């Protein structure tokens, strides 16, 4: 019995082994079956081939794609496990470079449900073909450099729940077809250039939970019936141009958690009565609008608020009941700066909060006692322009403090040493106070990790403070520091911005600046007493803005500036730099401001003789000031060709301000410009819209180059105090934006072109001290000028000069022309008369001569016969 069972067990075991072996052999001999369908793989491969990759990183998703492998196993691809259809394509940050064509293989993936191409360079328009992907539920194309209008075909994506087109350059209005997206829950279209009004069709999308349209160009009013969006949790339309009232139906949506309407033009907030259900609102941002009147009391009922921004609310110099904020126990962020109120903000109010981490009270009047204690762990405190005259001692216990702004107050004396013992302090702004020094040992600041320090516009003097190596931004302008620039600055290897302008520093520019060669982008040493050469090695290749104007520097400009490919602003005015014009600056592609005025540069502006390709072209230049040098020669006819910004009106904003958690790093670029006959200093960004050429005070000769007529955006043109000859060219009338024209103190001759009177913006002009003649054109902009604009031109006549033109104006010209024609006619008649009398006179003379000759021959014969 047992032996029978044993035989059966052995038999079954052998059968099982045989079956398993056979199965393995079958599997080994059968080629693997790909899940991916052939048409799907072809479409993906076609899509990949449409782009060239910007880099070949090892983790590049499409680098793993192989045409002979299962596309469902490729990185970024997800397939339906049953059908093999591609349902998800995720190439986020995939380094794709090239436009998305309407015939792209992408649109052959008809079964896609999720498409994510975020952070690729798809520069171009979004084709209508996007509407062919009718099964899409999620579409993410943020940061793809797309532009143009949004295609109306987006309305065909009826299954869409997420539309994320953040950070592109779309223009035009939001298409009404978006109203077809009934399943849409998130509409994310921030940071574009969309215009028009808020689309009413969005109110039909009752599934929406998030709308983000921040930083566009939308305008008009918000709909009054916003309550139809009953599931809305997030609504942000900040940084647009919306106006009118803030609809109460929006604020009272029960599900709303985040509401931001900041930086618009809203001028009215309706008072809200009893809120029927407890509000879930945690963020309410209304700052930067035109809201006025009392701060509404309903805010005290928003007890879940953690962030509240009412900055720039205009109370019309009324009073504020600050107790309205006491009910908001969960507040972490409170910005009530610039309330325009006569009420004084008592800092003791905030001793009752426990979680406050950011508090901005700037541009209000603030008071606090020396015994004040605030329990909240404040991380950022802004008290700029608060009429404070003493250092806030309550900060001693604020060990969580990271950012402190007490700029533009009246605080005197020395900065207390205990401030630098706050362990997290990183950003400090003392701009425009009356501080004189720092308490504690010389290295007191080195005990902290200060990254940004602004002590400009104070009365600091004595030894320059030793700063930690972590310092990234340092502004110490407009103080009384003296001696040499300390070389300890070179130990701050992370330094990106250094502003020491308007002090009393002497000596040379430290050669050790070469230690900052990779990161330093802003170097302003303006208006000190620095001398010597500018060392080549002191130039940081990362410079964006360099100002060493109004010092005593000499020698040639360092040619290492050619390596500063990002340089936009260069000002060396008021020094003793010499050498020829630095033509090599043309290699800087982003240069916008070039000021070389009041130095000793000499010679022509071009090589002599100019080699091939030597044309100086500054495509982005908008201020070119080389006045008061010793430059000479003739300007070539095409000298100003290729100066695109002055020709086309392309505006490059000058917005190099750096913000850190409520603090602005205060540095102000400065340029002295001659406009309308006077010199004045332009600060900050006040000169950013100017397009200026100033060649005055040199020794240029020859004609005014015709290529100037291409610079149609030019606002100021100053060519005075040179030796230009020839006539004032009529083509200057092409400069239709010109406001100031100075051609005085040259050798220009002939008449003033009447065409200049057509320049409607030309408010000031000067033609004095030339060799001009003829009547001053009448009835134009020219006649509005003072007589001093025409002095010392002996041949000029007519108003506003007191010298009259005989016959007056154009009539005198006509009379002179007629008289000249009469004289010419008389001369012609005289020549005709002479011609008429010439022929018979000649004949008569010949006859008389013949008679005399015959008579003389007869006389000689008679004499001969007599002899």
């Amino acid at each position: 019995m047992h032996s029978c069972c044993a035989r059966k067990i052995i038999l079954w075991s052998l059968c099982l082994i045989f079956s398993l072996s056979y199965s393995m052999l079958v599997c080994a001999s059968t080629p693997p079956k790909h899940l991916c369908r052939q048409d799907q793989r072809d479409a993906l491969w076609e899509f990949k081939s449409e782009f060239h990759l910007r880099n070949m990183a090892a983790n590049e998703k499409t680098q793993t794609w192989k045409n002979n492998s299962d596309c469902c196993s490729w990185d970024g691809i997800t397939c339906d496990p049953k059908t093999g259809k591609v349902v998800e394509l995720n190439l986020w940050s995939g380094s794709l470079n090239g436009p998305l064509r309407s015939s792209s293989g992408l649109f052959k993936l008809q079964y896609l449900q999720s498409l994510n191409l975020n952070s690729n360079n798809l520069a171009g328009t979004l084709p209508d073909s996007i509407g062919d992907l009718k099964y899409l539920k999620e579409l993410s194309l943020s940061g793809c450099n797309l532009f143009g209008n949004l295609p109306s075909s987006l309305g065909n994506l009826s299954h869409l729940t997420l539309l994320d087109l953040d950070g592109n350059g779309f223009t035009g209005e939001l298409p009404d077809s978006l109203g077809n997206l009934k399943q849409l829950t998130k509409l994310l279209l921030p940071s574009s250039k969309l215009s028009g009004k808020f689309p009413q069709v969005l109110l039909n999308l009752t599934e929406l939970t998030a709308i983000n349209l921040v930083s566009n160009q939308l305008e008009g009013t918000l709909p009054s019936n916003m309550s139809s969006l009953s599931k809305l949790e997030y609504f942000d339309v900040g940084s647009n141009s919306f106006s009118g009232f803030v609809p109460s139906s929006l604020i009272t949506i029960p599900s709303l958690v985040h509401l931001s309407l900041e930086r618009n033009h809203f001028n009215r907030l309706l008072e809200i009565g009893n809120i029927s259900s407890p509000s879930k609102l945690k963020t309410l941002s209304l700052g930067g609008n035109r809201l006025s009147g009392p701060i509404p009391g309903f805010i005290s009922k928003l007890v879940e608020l953690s962030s509240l921004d009412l900055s720039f609310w205009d109370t019309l110099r009324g009073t504020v009941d600050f107790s309205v904020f006491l009910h908001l126990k969960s507040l972490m962020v409170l910005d009530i700066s610039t309330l325009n109120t006569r009420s004084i903000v008592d800092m003791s109010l905030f001793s009752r909060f426990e979680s406050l981490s950011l508090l901005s009270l700037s541009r209000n009047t603030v008071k606090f006692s020396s015994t004040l204690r605030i329990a909240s762990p404040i991380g950022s405190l802004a008290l700029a322009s608060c009429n404070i005259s003493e250092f806030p001692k309550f900060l001693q216990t604020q060990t969580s403090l990271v950012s402190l702004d007490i700029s533009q107050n009246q605080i005197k004396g020395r900065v207390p040493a205990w401030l630098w013992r706050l362990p997290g302090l990183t950003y400090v702004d003392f701009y425009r106070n009356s501080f004189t020094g720092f308490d504690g040992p010389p290295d007191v600041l080195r005990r902290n990790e200060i990254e940004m320090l602004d002590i400009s516009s104070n009365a600091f003097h004595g030894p320059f403070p030793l700063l930690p190596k972590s310092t990234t931004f340092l502004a110490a302008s407009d103080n009384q520091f003296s001696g040499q620039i300390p070389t300890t600055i070179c130990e701050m290897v992370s330094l990106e911005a250094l502003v020491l302008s308007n002090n009393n520093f002497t000596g040379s520019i430290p050669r050790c600046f070469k230690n900052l060669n990779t990161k330093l982008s802003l170097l302003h040493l303006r208006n000190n007493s620095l001398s010597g050469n500018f060392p080549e090695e002191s130039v940081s290749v990362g410079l964006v803005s360099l100002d060493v104007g109004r010092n005593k520097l000499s020698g040639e400009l360092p040619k290492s500036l050619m390596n500063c490919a990002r340089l936009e602003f260069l000002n060396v005015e008021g020094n003793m730099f010499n050498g020829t014009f630095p033509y090599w600056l043309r290699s800087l592609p982003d240069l916008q401001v070039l000021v070389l005025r009041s130095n000793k540069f000499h010679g022509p502006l071009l090589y002599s003789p100019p080699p091939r390709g030597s044309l100086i072209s500054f495509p982005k230049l908008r201020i070119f000031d080389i006045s008061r040098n010793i430059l000479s020669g003739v300007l070539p006819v095409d000298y100003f060709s290729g100066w695109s910004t002055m020709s086309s009106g392309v505006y490059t904003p000058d917005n190099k301000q750096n913000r850190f958690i409520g603090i602005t790093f205060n540095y102000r670029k400065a340029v002295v410009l001659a406009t309308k006959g006077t010199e004045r200093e332009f600060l900050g960004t006040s000169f950013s819209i100017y397009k200026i050429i100033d060649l005055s005070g040199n020794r240029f000769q020859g004609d005014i180059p015709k290529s100037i007529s291409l610079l149609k955006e030019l606002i100021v043109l100053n060519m005075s105090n040179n030796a230009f000859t020839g006539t004032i060219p009529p083509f200057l009338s092409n400069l239709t934006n010109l406001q100031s024209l100075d051609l005085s103190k040259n050798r220009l001759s002939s008449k003033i072109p009447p065409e200049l009177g057509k320049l409607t913006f030309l408010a000031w002009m000067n033609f004095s001290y030339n060799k001009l003649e003829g009547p001053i054109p009448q009835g134009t902009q020219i006649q509005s000028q003072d007589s001093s604009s025409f002095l010392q031109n002996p041949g000029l006549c007519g108003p506003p000069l007191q010298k009259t033109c005989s016959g007056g104006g154009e009539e005198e010209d006509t009379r002179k022309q007629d008289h000249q024609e009469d004289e010419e006619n008389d001369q012609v008649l005289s020549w005709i008369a002479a011609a008429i009398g010439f022929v018979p006179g000649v004949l008569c003379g010949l006859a008389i001569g013949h008679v005399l000759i015959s008579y003389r021959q007869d006389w000689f014969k008679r004499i001969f016969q007599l002899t």
Side-chain angles (χ1 to χ4, degrees), residues 74-119:
W74 293 352
D75 284 351
I77 306 298
T78 302
C79 295
D80 186 308
K82 296 181 179 179
T83 64
K85 300 171 182 175
V86 176
V87 294
E88 180 178 349
L89 175 60
N90 185 349
L91 295 180
W92 175 82
S93 194
S95 299
L96 301 180
N97 189 30
L100 191 58
R101 300 196 294 263
S102 58
S103 59
S104 170
L106 172 67
F107 305 120
K108 297 178 182 179
L109 301 172
Q110 293 289 317
Y111 306 100
L112 271 181
Q113 297 179 24
S114 177
L115 174 62
N116 186 342
L117 299 178
N118 291 346
S119 302

Side-chain angles (χ1 to χ4, degrees), residues 581 583 603-610 614-616 634-636 638-639:
F581 176 78
Y583 56 86
L605 295 185
L606 290 174
Y607 289 109
S608 182
S614 65
L615 182 67
I616 295 183
V634 176
L635 295 180
D638 58 352
Y639 186 78

Side-chain angles (χ1 to χ4, degrees), residues 554-597:
S554 57
E556 296 187 355
L557 279 184
K559 287 191 176 181
S560 51
L561 286 170
M562 283 192 296
N563 301 323
C564 304
R566 298 167 53 212
L567 193 65
E568 298 177 3
F569 181 95
L570 176 59
N571 187 358
V572 300
E573 65 164 321
N575 282 283
M576 295 180 285
F577 285 113
N578 53 41
T580 57
F581 176 78
Y583 56 86
W584 36 266
L585 290 174
R586 63 180 176 165
S587 64
L588 304 178
D590 293 326
L591 192 62
Q592 299 178 30
V593 176
L594 175 59
V595 180
L596 307 179
R597 67 182 281 132

